Structures are given as structure tokens and as C-alpha cells.
Amino acid sequence: MDPIEQHLSYDPDEMVALDRKYLWHHLMPHKVFETVEPMIVVEGDGLMIKDARGREFLDCVSGAVWCVNVGYGRESIARAVYEQLRVMPYYAGTAGNIPAIKFAAKLAEFLPRLDKVFYSNSGSEANEKAFKMVRQYWRLQGKDRYKILFRNRDYHGTTIAALSATGQAERKAEYGPFVPGFVEFPHCMCYRCAFGQSYPGCNLECAKSLEKVILDEGPDTVGAIIIEPITAGGGIIVPVPEYYPALQEICRKYGVLMIMDEVVCGFGRTGNMFGHLHYDVDPDIVTMAKGTASSYMPLSVTMAKGELFERFLNDPSEKLAYFRDISTYGGCAGSCIAALESTRIIEEEKLCENSQTMGARLLDGLNSLLGLPQVGDVRAKGLFAGVELVKDKKTKQPVEESYLAKVAADIAGQGVLVGKANRSNPGLNNIITFAPALVATEQQIDRMVGALQTALVRNTDF
Ligand code: PLP
């Protein structure tokens, strides 16, 4: 047999046995695989995936972690990568390569206020690069503004510094001690307002609280804040329109830089090419991953403003004069050509527009479930939605994580895969999430809403 055919072939029973023996699955409690068979995904087309047992599922979370933005089965991305690898598979980012240059120029078209692209491989790494750029940017000006402020409920990655910048206590619990210099400020979720207020008429206390944290820490020690435009894993939190302008005003007052983490929201997820474009805000650094190449290949980006980059243009013989950083695979030609092709598909097939129209249908459908006793809140932007389940609508007491798991399992039993908050925020892991590929159809949207409704109606023990 041809060796490639051999790599692709499998016997389901053998694969399950080898999976159980050798794989350490991400995020999963391994004990469950003693009784439950691990899922082995073998094929995908659009929003549909098939497992090694031949079962088909409607994937409402784009590869479980919100990243296959253009959907499965894109021959043209596979072909682009194949053609590129044949002629030039790899050379380090010390040199340019054709797709890396073209994709950087494309990003500058989308975000004209930012003009330098540094490539790496994952969202965590893109944020790490941003932290390093910020610290060195200030040191190049003789200032030690090393602190990075992050928001409660936001997530910025799995590496120790990115986790240090994460506002999800449960997720962090086992992995300290953390890196010094990362400080939390309050979240901006209206449903559970940290200040007991209701919008409008709240004076945007959530945004204003940033100023107090900057003053408490000492403005001359604070280099930047990092935020997700719409908080993803922390509960699909869509800030009110005035929030980012208010946050930006405070940052500008104290000369604090703004890092916008577009790892989830980027590339059409929220109905715009980037999530922050829904707001009147002008970040200094934007990070991207996941949807960058629709996860057909790994690629992340840290994109900085020209003013920031120019600080690094010093006589190279000086100490710390330039950004002495690398990521071995970052910007490799195969990933960049996948990103170019994925982005071409998003533009040509008008997938941002589809994200808006199908997102509106998803939101309408989910809002229609607000009459159910355990549906406390529905939040969405584009094809990105969360449904918060509560035991009691008045007190907003969250359901137990075990109930959420039961609902998600019921939905999976209907052949539909949704996301769920998972060991992130203590006592607040009560949110079912949707982030389908941007090619979702009306019929698929209706099926996802219907599956959730069925599960909620028949699981009343919350
Ligand atoms: N930033 C955000 C907002 C994320 O949701 C994630 C991952 O889910 C990351 C960063 C980290 O990305 P990666 O897992 O590619 O390191």
C-alpha cells in the first residue's frame, strides 16, 4: 500500500485502544475514558464531522474551540498548502517568504492603523510576544512600566505568563506561582454587574474601575492592558458600545498601551473581520490565532502600530536595541498560505455578512428560549453566542456544572455538538456556547436552537 494511504487508513477498534493507551487528551478528565470511548474525528464537511465509528455530528463550535471559521473540507486550502510545501517548506522568520509577506500586507489592509506583523504559532504565544514588546518598548525609553493589567473573566492562553494574565481563578488554580507584574481589573458583564448597577444609568463603573487599579499600582509601572474584545471562554461577554471608548480614554490619560486579544473574535466570528471593529477603539497591539488560517494550519499574529515598532529601530550594537525574539515555526510558508486562502474565502464568500445574518437568527432563536425557567441570559454577537443557565432567575444562582454537562450530553445525543463553560470561573461554569463555522445555514441554526430547547425541556432537574 502507498505509505500515505497507509497513514490515512485505520481500524476503529485498534484506534480506540491505541488512543486510550497513548493519548493525553486536552482539557479532558482522563478517568472518563475508562468507561466512555474517546471520540476520534476522521472527516469533516462544512459544519458536519464524522467519527471513526461513522457517527455524524453538527459541530456548533468549529472544532470544539471556535476556530475552523471557513468550515471543514476546503480543498483549496489543502491544495495551497501542498503547492507551497513542494516548492519551499521552511525557512526561519529571519527571512521573508512569499505567503508571509502577502498575508502581512493583507492584515494591514484590514487594520490600517497597525502596520507590523510578528508571526508565531498559537494564541498564547502571540500574547507572550505582545507582553515582551510592551516591556521592551518602555525600557527603550528608560521606563520600567512592566505591569500588564488584565480583566476578570478574560482568558489569554495556556503558557505561564499568558495564564498569569488570565482572570479565571479556577482555571489557574493548580498552576501557580504566577509571573509577577500581572494585575486584574473588574469584568464588564451587565448580567452580573460587578458594581450592582444596571445599564444604562450605571456611569460605566466597570470601565472607570480601571483608573483606580492604574492609580493603585502606580501609573509609571503600568505598561499595558490586555482585553478580549468580546470575552470568549469567560462567558461570551459583549461590552456595551461606550465601554471601550471609556477604557481607551483612561489608557490614554496615563499613557498605558492597549493589547486587543482577537484570538477568538478575529476573522469574522462576531460578524466583522475583527471584534474590536464593532467599537470606537484604537488598540496599539492586536493578537490573532485560531481563525487566522481557520486552523487548517497553526498560525498566530502579534500586530503592532508603527509608532511602537519604530522604538525598536536603534543602532543594533546598542544593548536591547531591537526585538531579539523568535518562534521557530512562526510565519512558516505553509501556514501563511493557508491563512491567505482562508481569508480569501471569508471575503469572497462574504462570510462576515453571513456571520451577521445567521448570528441574528441564532440570537432570535436563543432569545425565544428565555421563557424557559432555567434560561437566565442570552448574549451574542455574530455567530458567537452564550446561554447562561440558572437555578433561579431572580437570584441568578447558576446551575451546577454537572447540570450543564448533562444538557450538553443530551444535545450531543441528538447529533449536535455545543460548547460549555468548563472549570474556569468558580461557581460560574453555567454557560452553553455556540460558535459555528461562518458558513452556517438557516436550517443548521434552527437545528442547534431546537436541540438546546429539547435538552432544556426534558432536563428539568436543575
Ligand atoms: N486568547 C484567547 C481569547 C483564547 O480564547 C485562547 C484560547 O482559547 C488563547 C488566547 C490561547 O490560544 P492558544 O490555545 O492558541 O494558545
Side-chain angles (χ1 to χ4, degrees):
M1 197 198 264
D2 167 68
I4 309 285
E5 292 287 316
Q6 208 164 348
H7 298 322
L8 290 168
S9 70
Y10 61 91
D11 167 70
D13 291 330
E14 186 193 4
M15 287 302 116
V16 168
L18 291 177
D19 179 304
R20 279 189 165 132
K21 186 156 183 213
Y22 293 114
L23 278 192
W24 193 335
H25 285 263
H26 297 188
L27 288 176
M28 297 295 289
H30 259 258
K31 191 84 180 148
V32 301
F33 297 128
E34 286 174 11
T35 47
V36 175
E37 229 181 63
M39 177 158 115
I40 301 172
V41 186
V42 294
E43 266 178 60
D45 183 23
L47 269 72
M48 298 304 297
I49 55 167
K50 196 192 266 187
D51 76 4
R53 298 284 185 203
R55 290 174 301 197
E56 291 195 293
F57 297 92
L58 178 69
D59 175 8
C60 307
V61 270
S62 303
V65 288
W66 320 331
C67 49
V68 188
N69 289 19
V70 296
Y72 301 103
R74 295 286 188 169
E75 281 284 330
S76 68
I77 301 181
R79 212 181 79 230
V81 174
Y82 168 77
E83 296 293 350
Q84 177 60 48
L85 297 192
R86 284 180 61 208
V87 292
M88 183 66 223
Y90 179 79
Y91 195 87
T94 50
N97 66 64
I98 305 303
I101 297 164
K102 288 188 179 172
F103 188 57
K106 186 81 213 165
L107 291 174
E109 261 177 44
F110 294 136
L111 297 173
R113 291 189 190 154
L114 295 143
D115 42 13
K116 274 287 183 290
V117 168
F118 191 98
Y119 290 117
S120 50
N121 309 293
S122 67
S124 310
E125 214 187 340
N127 288 332
E128 297 271 348
K129 302 302 179 201
F131 303 152
K132 288 169 110 172
M133 284 175 189
V134 166
R135 287 185 169 177
Q136 190 175 348
Y137 166 83
W138 288 115
R139 285 186 184 137
L140 284 166
Q141 297 172 70
K143 296 178 180 160
D144 201 16
R145 299 182 66 156
Y146 64 96
K147 289 182 189 164
I148 311 277
L149 310 189
F150 62 92
R151 197 169 50 192
N152 180 236
R153 298 190 71 130
D154 279 6
Y155 174 65
H156 296 295
T158 177
T159 49
I160 288 289
L163 204 55
S164 304
T166 285
Q168 300 181 357
E170 199 173 355
R171 185 165 197 148
K172 293 166 79 165
E174 304 302 323
Y175 306 110
F178 292 101
V179 181
F182 291 89
V183 181
E184 188 173 286
F185 64 96
H187 69 74
C188 58
M189 183 203 273
C190 291
Y191 182 65
R192 295 186 185 277
C193 177
F195 302 91
Q197 302 276 4
S198 43
Y199 173 84
C202 56
N203 198 26
L204 288 180
E205 279 199 48
C206 52
K208 300 215 167 122
S209 66
L210 173 66
E211 183 160 19
K212 182 172 178 334
V213 179
I214 293 176
L215 290 171
D216 287 351
E217 291 299 316
D220 54 352
T221 67
V222 178
I225 64 165
I226 181 164
I227 55 233
E228 295 181 62
I230 289 163
T231 300
I236 321 291
I237 303 170
V238 187
V240 298
E242 307 90 323
Y243 176 78
Y244 281 120
L247 217 57
Q248 179 161 283
E249 200 180 312
I250 296 163
C251 287
R252 295 237 163 115
K253 182 167 169 191
Y254 296 100
V256 171
L257 300 173
M258 182 184 278
I259 306 166
M260 194 62 80
D261 176 343
E262 289 273 5
V263 167
V264 174
C265 295
F267 300 94
R269 170 59 52 215
T270 67
N272 217 326
M273 193 52 95
F274 292 97
H276 75 271
L277 299 179
H278 292 289
Y279 297 88
D280 182 14
V281 64
D282 177 26
D284 302 287
I285 298 179
V286 173
T287 59
M288 312 163 197
K290 295 196 190 269
T292 308
S294 284
S295 301
Y296 278 65
M297 295 286 281
L299 182 67
S300 67
V301 167
T302 308
M303 197 169 179
K305 276 193 169 161
E307 300 99 275
L308 194 137
F309 172 76
E310 276 156 25
R311 290 280 171 188
F312 293 79
L313 292 177
N314 300 302
D315 177 346
S317 63
E318 284 174 35
K319 205 173 157 221
L320 272 177
Y322 61 99
F323 194 51
R324 195 212 171 282
D325 211 358
I326 186 176
S327 170
T328 296
Y329 309 119
C332 68
S335 289
C336 289
I337 202 162
L340 270 175
E341 180 55 13
S342 170
T343 309
R344 184 195 66 76
I345 292 170
I346 291 175
E347 284 193 294
E348 281 198 20
E349 296 186 7
K350 300 198 182 327
L351 297 186
C352 287
E353 289 82 341
N354 197 55
S355 177
Q356 280 167 27
T357 48
M358 289 303 116
R361 190 178 182 94
L362 178 61
L363 179 59
D364 278 352
L366 297 176
N367 274 337
S368 76
L369 307 184
L370 277 164
L372 294 173
Q374 69 273 56
V375 178
D377 197 26
V378 171
R379 301 182 284 270
K381 194 84 180 164
L383 278 173
F384 198 27
V387 178
E388 179 147 354
L389 303 183
V390 291
K391 287 186 176 192
D392 180 327
K393 287 198 187 198
K394 271 216 178 81
T395 62
K396 301 182 181 174
Q397 188 190 347
V399 297
E400 304 294 333
E401 208 169 322
S402 54
Y403 177 72
L404 199 75
K406 199 166 161 184
V407 169
D410 184 316
I411 298 170
Q414 300 174 55
V416 176
L417 302 179
V418 296
K420 59 178 168 46
N422 175 18
R423 303 272 167 96
S424 300
N425 294 294
L428 290 164
N429 299 305
N430 61 329
I431 299 154
I432 293 284
T433 55
F434 296 84
L438 310 181
V439 292
T441 61
E442 289 184 355
Q443 191 203 16
Q444 288 170 328
I445 297 292
D446 296 348
R447 186 171 168 208
M448 357 187 142
V449 175
L452 174 61
Q453 181 172 22
T454 303
L456 293 175
V457 168
R458 67 183 172 202
N459 291 279
T460 50
D461 52 338
F462 50 89

